Amino acid sequence: MESFDLVLEGFAVAAQPLNVMFLFIGAVLGTVIGMLPGIGAAAGIGLLLPVTYGLDPIPALIMLAGIYYGAMYGNTASAVLINTPGTASAVMTTVDGYPMAKNGRGGAALAIAAIASFCAGTTSIILLTLLAVPLAEFALQFGPAEYFALMVFSLSAVSSLTGKSVSKGLIAAVIGLMIGMIGKDLHTGMTRFTFGISIFEDGIPFIVVIVGLFAVSEVLLKVEKWFAGELQPIPIRGRLWLTMDEWRHSYKAIFRGGLIGFFVGVLPGAGGTIATILAYTTEQKFSSRPEKFGTGIPEGVAAPEAANNASTSGAFVPLLTLGIPGSGSTAVLLGAFILFGLQPGPEMFAERPDLVWGLVDSMYLGNVFLLILNLPLIGIFVRLLYAPPGILMSIILGVATIGVYSIKTNAIDLYTLVFFGGLGYLFRKLQIPLAPLILALVLGDMIEQSLRQAMTLSMGKMGILVGSPICVVLLIMTVASLLFPMLFPMFKRKFAGEGDDE
């Protein structure tokens, strides 16, 4: 009852006019920031942090949190409409979202994304309210070995993203791991694969890779079609809202994706990217039509969008209860807490319950604001698809180059963007999937660092990798995920044969 009273007091704090105003400002700014590749939630929070100087901590942190989850909504529009994911966590949305737009269902894709984000976001906030402390205690059980097992399992999920050819998917994953190794080795200080270019010592910015692979390669494909006389504006067919059949295929994906997103978000460092990939692959394995994934189906949008939004609430669990950031964005938020003289942790729950529960409960209101903001804008967003192809391609290139150049204001990033655009074009022509490359690029550094830390702790003994029940379960799941694509067709043919005999 005491916790329930605190939650009610939190709503009273969140509903104060000043806090509602800053929440609305944060949600709007976050949505806009999310649409721009190269900025993202972490950079957006850092950019606007000086604006909060002199403010009371509660409205300031409510606004910054609104920017965080507002950016998750904003990623969707550019990912669906122009195949340009603003951050890594929006990559999986493009897999089915952009094909839906090309099929004339861009409005429906944005609608299901908004609904999935709202439903999963609200559910995850309820879970945050109820399970914050016990989940934080569970997350503490994850050491380097457990994180290594988790990352390997996430990478093994590539098996269901490789389409018809497992070998092509593995090629993409290996290339992603190689790209991720570019830069300085944190343990030895030696540079790797930099080709003498000093700017590569810090690695290749992730946004350069994904914008090149997705946005620039899309422009190159469109140019090819233009020379062939095949390029036409994307038609908008049917109504902008969901059909009953699309909703029927989506609601279970929203539920599963939301749960996966929240529990993955609780793990420090896991982030929305891993959550969206796990949600997408899980949905594909549960689906009655797995062969349709990647062609433009609503559950392929609903699952990653639900996971993406839910992971933001999950990331607040270790932040608020342990003072450990669960993602890059919450790391910046941790800096904001410290800036205001606050140290997240169990003591803050006792000393500043008004701030903790006011912040948590503001997320309920923030999700409502974002739903109200985004649904009416669907009709405006899809008008982008009516634009003549030449103008639309110019918009894509403009957004891509501005977003990439703004990271370090270095021309080498633009040359790198062109290189990855060409690589993405080649992958598409050879029908090599891009998702395994992106996943390997995201996880490569974390896998390497976790393995090295585990080996250091165990004095080089490999047994540490199977030294806990969590490691064993995750490694069993890894083997199962690798064997499933090979064994499932065999079982399917066997059962089909028995059915024919009958």
Side-chain angles (χ1 to χ4, degrees):
M1 287 301 296
E2 183 180 352
S3 297
F4 183 71
D5 291 339
L6 291 172
V7 171
L8 290 180
E9 290 176 12
F11 274 113
V13 171
Q16 292 176 8
L18 181 66
N19 294 337
V20 171
M21 182 185 74
F22 277 98
L23 172 62
F24 181 78
I25 292 171
V28 173
L29 290 175
T31 303
V32 174
I33 287 168
M35 292 180 188
L36 303 175
I39 299 181
I45 294 170
L47 185 67
L48 294 170
L49 189 56
V51 178
T52 64
Y53 293 165
L55 288 176
D56 184 79
I58 294 178
L61 292 170
I62 284 176
M63 185 185 77
L64 295 175
I67 294 171
Y68 179 27
Y69 49 80
M72 299 302 162
Y73 271 78
N75 280 334
T76 307
S78 58
V80 169
L81 298 178
I82 58 176
N83 200 32
T84 307
T87 60
S89 59
V91 168
M92 297 311 300
T93 302
T94 65
V95 177
D96 277 282
Y98 187 63
M100 281 188 73
K102 291 198 293 186
N103 295 335
R105 300 295 293 147
L110 292 176
I112 192 59
I115 294 171
S117 295
F118 171 75
C119 294
T122 302
T123 302
S124 65
I125 297 165
I126 294 172
L127 292 174
L128 168 62
T129 305
L130 298 175
L131 304 176
V133 175
L135 284 176
E137 293 174 353
F138 174 73
L140 282 176
Q141 299 179 34
F142 273 68
E146 286 77 14
Y147 274 112
F148 173 75
L150 175 64
M151 299 302 126
V152 171
F153 168 63
S154 300
L155 190 57
S156 72
V158 76
S159 61
S160 58
L161 294 172
T162 53
K164 297 179 180 179
S165 174
V166 175
S167 60
K168 288 182 178 179
L170 293 175
I171 289 171
V174 170
I175 293 174
L177 289 172
M178 292 173 65
I179 296 170
M181 292 179 70
I182 294 174
K184 276 189 177 180
D185 183 342
L186 295 180
H187 287 259
T188 65
M190 299 293 289
T191 56
R192 305 181 295 195
F193 307 124
T194 61
F195 302 101
I197 302 174
S198 59
I199 196 173
F200 286 167
E201 291 182 3
D202 295 328
I204 295 179
F206 184 78
I207 195 67
V208 176
V209 179
I210 63 171
V211 171
L213 290 175
F214 286 90
V216 177
S217 66
E218 183 67 30
V219 172
L220 293 175
L221 286 172
K222 291 292 191 292
V223 170
E224 180 186 19
K225 289 184 178 180
W226 182 76
F227 278 109
E230 301 172 359
L231 189 59
Q232 300 294 330
I234 297 175
I236 305 297
R237 294 186 294 270
R239 57 181 183 172
L240 297 179
W241 193 246
L242 291 169
T243 64
M244 285 302 298
D245 184 64
E246 288 170 332
W247 173 250
R248 182 173 59 83
H249 281 103
S250 299
Y251 74 92
K252 291 181 181 178
I254 294 173
F255 175 75
R256 284 190 284 259
L259 290 180
I260 291 171
F262 177 77
F263 288 108
V264 171
V266 168
L267 302 174
T273 306
I274 297 174
T276 56
I277 292 169
L278 289 179
Y280 187 92
T281 55
T282 300
E283 199 54 40
Q284 191 173 14
K285 290 174 181 176
F286 273 96
S287 176
S288 60
R289 47 177 188 174
E291 72 285 351
K292 295 287 187 182
F293 278 72
T295 63
I297 56 175
E299 57 264 45
V301 175
E305 281 298 308
N308 190 22
N309 200 272
S311 69
T312 62
S313 301
F316 274 94
V317 172
L319 174 67
L320 294 176
T321 58
L322 302 173
I324 300 173
S327 65
S329 300
T330 50
V332 182
L333 280 173
L334 176 60
F337 273 96
I338 295 172
L339 182 69
F340 287 108
L342 300 166
Q343 179 57 55
E347 295 82 6
M348 194 171 72
F349 276 77
E351 296 171 1
R352 291 299 305 270
D354 59 329
L355 186 148
V356 172
W357 294 110
L359 178 61
V360 171
D361 291 342
S362 74
M363 298 180 194
Y364 290 98
L365 301 179
N367 269 289
V368 174
F369 281 161
L370 288 168
L371 185 69
I372 295 172
L373 280 171
N374 281 272
L375 286 182
L377 294 176
I378 287 173
I380 298 173
F381 287 150
V382 296
R383 295 291 170 185
L384 277 174
L385 300 176
Y386 282 116
I391 294 176
L392 186 57
M393 293 306 105
S394 299
I395 292 172
I396 294 175
L397 273 182
V399 170
T401 53
I402 291 172
V404 165
Y405 187 72
S406 65
I407 300 172
K408 295 181 179 178
T409 61
N410 193 301
I412 292 179
D413 284 342
L414 297 179
Y415 293 120
T416 309
L417 176 70
V418 173
F419 170 81
F420 281 106
L423 183 65
Y425 173 79
L426 182 64
F427 269 42
R428 293 191 184 203
K429 297 300 288 185
L430 297 176
Q431 296 184 334
I432 299 175
L434 293 174
L437 187 154
I438 297 298
L439 175 60
L441 178 60
V442 171
L443 298 184
D445 183 61
M446 291 186 280
I447 290 175
E448 180 184 7
Q449 299 305 324
S450 297
L451 178 60
R452 286 189 170 189
Q453 290 168 2
M455 291 296 97
T456 301
L457 289 172
S458 67
M459 304 296 290
K461 295 178 182 178
M462 298 293 290
I464 192 173
L465 300 180
V466 290
S468 73
I470 296 175
C471 288
V472 173
V473 170
L474 287 170
L475 291 175
I476 290 173
M477 292 169 65
T478 299
V479 174
S481 67
L482 289 172
L483 294 178
F484 181 81
M486 294 182 284
L487 298 179
F488 180 72
M490 296 169 55
F491 285 115
K492 192 174 181 180
R493 285 195 298 270
K494 180 180 178 180
F495 287 120
E498 291 177 358
D500 294 339
D501 293 340
E502 294 176 3

